[in-house]
């Protein structure tokens, strides 16, 4: 379906839980309210919404959270969404802690790609930023995803004075493993204890010094707004998601479903549509609300203006 700005909306991010087994400082503020399971959409509800979404042209789904792999049955949901006639692709974004354990189930479910979030490869810094994460388990998860042959990417949020010195290490890691590393600019959402973000321009110039042969790669690597760079002859690439410094909104293709059943037309604004009442009705009732969300999608984000109606929920409640 096209929105009012002529963009094709064919991608839905589905957050299946607000809960997480990490507490990344920029994502999950202290004291965040724990949502009871009764307020979270059931898998049956999510599947009905996904089915309705395929009827309005959504063909690609991302399973996210909170941490999606802490909700039991995540791989079963992926298998069921994959089985919908209109589905082309189902992918997941995970912090990787439970990835090695669930990799066989995800593969059996037919997952199309796996994004693992990793901000640092230094054990102490990892403990600091995630507050309770285990780097060894995450690295094991990444290795198992790569070994499965399923397309694997790393997502990293660069922060001044924290992990900026590791940017070359991440690039080296990506080229050595033949996978993509994507640098995502820190966004002013739900940050209780965030450092300062680093612009992708700074990252690109740093990497170009080390890899002068780095060149733009126009090929499509996924559903996201990343701009890619490659080194001719090398497997793996560098993706830059310039959330703050580049206006990527003109190619936005997505809507979001939160775990509590709110459809978000845009990450940046708090405006959302409660889909739960439509779950009492038929598939057309659900589709009407999904279409409404597409219709009211704003032209571009508001991070540079920070208006009153900017999103106040944390990223873990929205799904990133
Ligand atoms: N728990 C999973 C994970 O970490 O991949 C999925 C959910 S998490 C909210 C999705 C992504 O959002 C992660 O890559 C995380 O680094 C990113 N994220 C969280 N808060 C952010 C912020 N303020 N700015 C930019 N990215 C953020
Ligand atoms: Fe959890 Fe992912 Fe947020 Fe970290 S970024 S706190 S792993 S939801």
């Amino acid at each position: 379906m096209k929105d009012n700005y002529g963009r094709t909306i064919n991608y839905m991010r589905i957050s299946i839980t607000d809960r997480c087994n990490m507490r990344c400082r920029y994502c999950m503020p202290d004291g965040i309210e724990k949502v009871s399971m009764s307020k979270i959409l059931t898998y049956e509800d999510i599947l009905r919404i996904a089915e309705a979404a395929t009827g309005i042209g959504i063909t690609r789904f991302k399973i996210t959270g909170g941490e999606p792999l802490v909700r039991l049955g995540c791989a079963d949901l992926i298998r069921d969404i994959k089985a919908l006639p209109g589905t082309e692709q189902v992918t997941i974004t995970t912090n990787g802690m439970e990835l090695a354990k669930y990799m066989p189930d995800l593969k059996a479910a037919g997952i199309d790609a796996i994004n693992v979030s990793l901000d640092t490869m230094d054990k102490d810094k990892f403990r600091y930023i995630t507050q309770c994460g285990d780097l060894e388990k995450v690295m094991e998860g990444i290795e198992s995803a790569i070994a499965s042959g399923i397309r694997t990417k790393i997502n990293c949020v660069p922060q001044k004075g924290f992990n900026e010195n590791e940017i070359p290490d991440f690039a080296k890691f990506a080229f050595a493993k033949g996978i993509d590393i994507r640098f995502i600019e820190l966004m002013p959402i739900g940050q209780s204890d965030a450092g300062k973000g680093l612009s992708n321009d700074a990252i690109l110039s740093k990497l170009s010094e080390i890899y002068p042969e780095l060149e733009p790669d126009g090929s499509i690597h996924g559903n996201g707004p990343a701009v890619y760079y490659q080194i001719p002859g090398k497997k793996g690439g560098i993706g830059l998601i310039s959330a703050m410094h580049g206006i990527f909104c003109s190619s936005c293709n997505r809507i979001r479903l939160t775990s509590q059943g709110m459809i978000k037309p845009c990450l940046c604004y708090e405006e959302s549509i409660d889909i739960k009442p439509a779950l009492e009705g038929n598939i057309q009732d659900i589709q009407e609300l999904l279409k409404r969300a597409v219709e009211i999608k704003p032209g571009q984000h508001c991070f540079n203006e920070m208006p009153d109606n900017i999103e106040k929920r944390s990223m873990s409640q929205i799904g990133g």
Side-chain angles (χ1 to χ4, degrees):
M1 174 176 175
K2 292 243 189 233
D3 74 358
N4 288 335
Y5 298 88
R7 299 171 296 194
T8 300
I9 308 302
N10 59 5
Y11 174 64
M12 181 187 258
R13 293 180 69 94
I14 301 178
S15 172
I16 62 169
T17 178
D18 291 27
R19 297 187 185 184
C20 189
N21 48 0
M22 290 190 194
R23 290 285 179 280
C24 300
R25 290 172 183 271
Y26 55 82
C27 173
M28 216 168 169
D30 281 346
I32 198 165
E33 184 201 345
K34 196 170 180 184
V35 180
S36 75
M37 279 307 279
S38 62
K39 290 196 175 150
I40 298 288
L41 292 180
T42 63
Y43 281 150
E44 289 74 23
D45 289 339
I46 295 174
L47 192 60
R48 271 190 86 211
I49 295 167
E51 185 185 0
T54 60
I56 67 153
I58 305 278
T59 56
R60 290 148 185 249
F61 297 92
K62 168 79 75 194
I63 305 302
T64 176
E67 172 48 38
L69 293 178
V70 299
R71 182 161 177 187
L72 287 177
C74 175
D76 296 333
L77 176 72
I78 289 167
R79 185 200 55 222
D80 292 346
I81 297 180
K82 276 283 290 185
L84 294 172
T87 299
E88 281 174 13
Q89 200 184 76
V90 184
T91 59
I92 190 168
T93 293
T94 169
N95 63 26
M97 280 264 277
E98 298 300 322
L99 186 54
K101 177 174 158 194
Y102 286 114
M103 205 48 240
D105 296 350
L106 292 172
K107 188 166 183 168
I111 192 95
D112 292 289
I114 297 168
N115 289 358
V116 185
S117 302
L118 178 67
D119 292 336
T120 172
M121 293 187 278
D122 176 289
K123 209 171 164 203
D124 295 332
K125 283 200 218 168
F126 187 83
R127 196 76 191 166
Y128 170 79
I129 198 77
T130 64
Q131 306 197 72
C132 48
D134 180 339
L135 180 61
E136 265 179 43
K137 282 184 80 179
V138 175
M139 296 312 285
E140 201 190 319
I142 292 172
E143 292 297 345
S144 67
I146 295 171
S148 75
I150 293 162
R151 188 158 50 86
T152 304
K153 291 181 195 160
I154 309 271
N155 286 344
C156 172
V157 178
Q159 295 148 69
K160 269 190 191 140
F162 173 68
N163 57 359
E164 60 181 306
N165 61 331
E166 289 185 71
I167 286 162
D169 300 335
F170 273 113
K172 205 169 150 195
F173 182 77
F175 289 130
K177 300 285 178 190
I179 61 175
D180 289 343
I181 166 85
R182 304 189 312 166
F183 296 107
I184 307 174
E185 285 181 342
L186 184 68
M187 290 173 256
I189 284 193
Q191 302 167 52
S192 64
D193 190 10
K196 276 208 169 358
L198 206 60
S199 84
N200 275 339
D201 286 349
I203 290 167
L204 187 58
S205 65
K206 198 181 255 258
L207 288 174
S208 301
E209 275 171 31
I210 305 164
Y211 297 108
E213 63 280 46
L214 207 59
E215 61 174 36
D217 171 5
S219 64
I220 311 259
H221 290 228
N223 298 304
V227 174
Y228 279 91
Y229 292 81
Q230 62 171 1
I231 294 180
K234 265 198 199 289
K235 276 197 176 159
I238 314 274
L240 301 177
I241 302 188
S242 302
M244 299 298 295
H245 293 85
I247 293 292
F248 56 40
C249 306
S250 61
S251 59
C252 188
N253 57 355
R254 62 201 55 200
I255 52 175
R256 293 174 160 80
L257 173 64
T258 73
S259 59
Q260 296 185 57
M262 305 303 284
I263 300 283
K264 266 183 73 64
C266 174
L267 177 69
C268 186
Y269 293 91
E270 65 184 352
E271 181 161 27
S272 42
I273 296 175
D274 190 354
I275 201 144
K276 290 188 292 297
L279 294 170
E280 315 275 321
N282 56 31
I283 206 114
Q284 286 77 23
D285 296 321
I286 302 172
Q287 282 170 339
E288 281 316 307
L289 292 189
L290 294 173
K291 283 188 207 160
R292 174 98 192 101
V294 173
E295 274 160 18
I296 63 170
K297 227 179 124 54
Q300 66 181 59
H301 72 59
C302 58
F303 290 132
N304 300 320
E305 297 95 49
M306 302 293 282
D308 288 345
N309 61 344
I310 195 167
E311 181 56 78
K312 313 278 185 314
R313 284 168 287 191
S314 74
M315 207 63 113
S316 61
Q317 293 169 313
I318 305 168

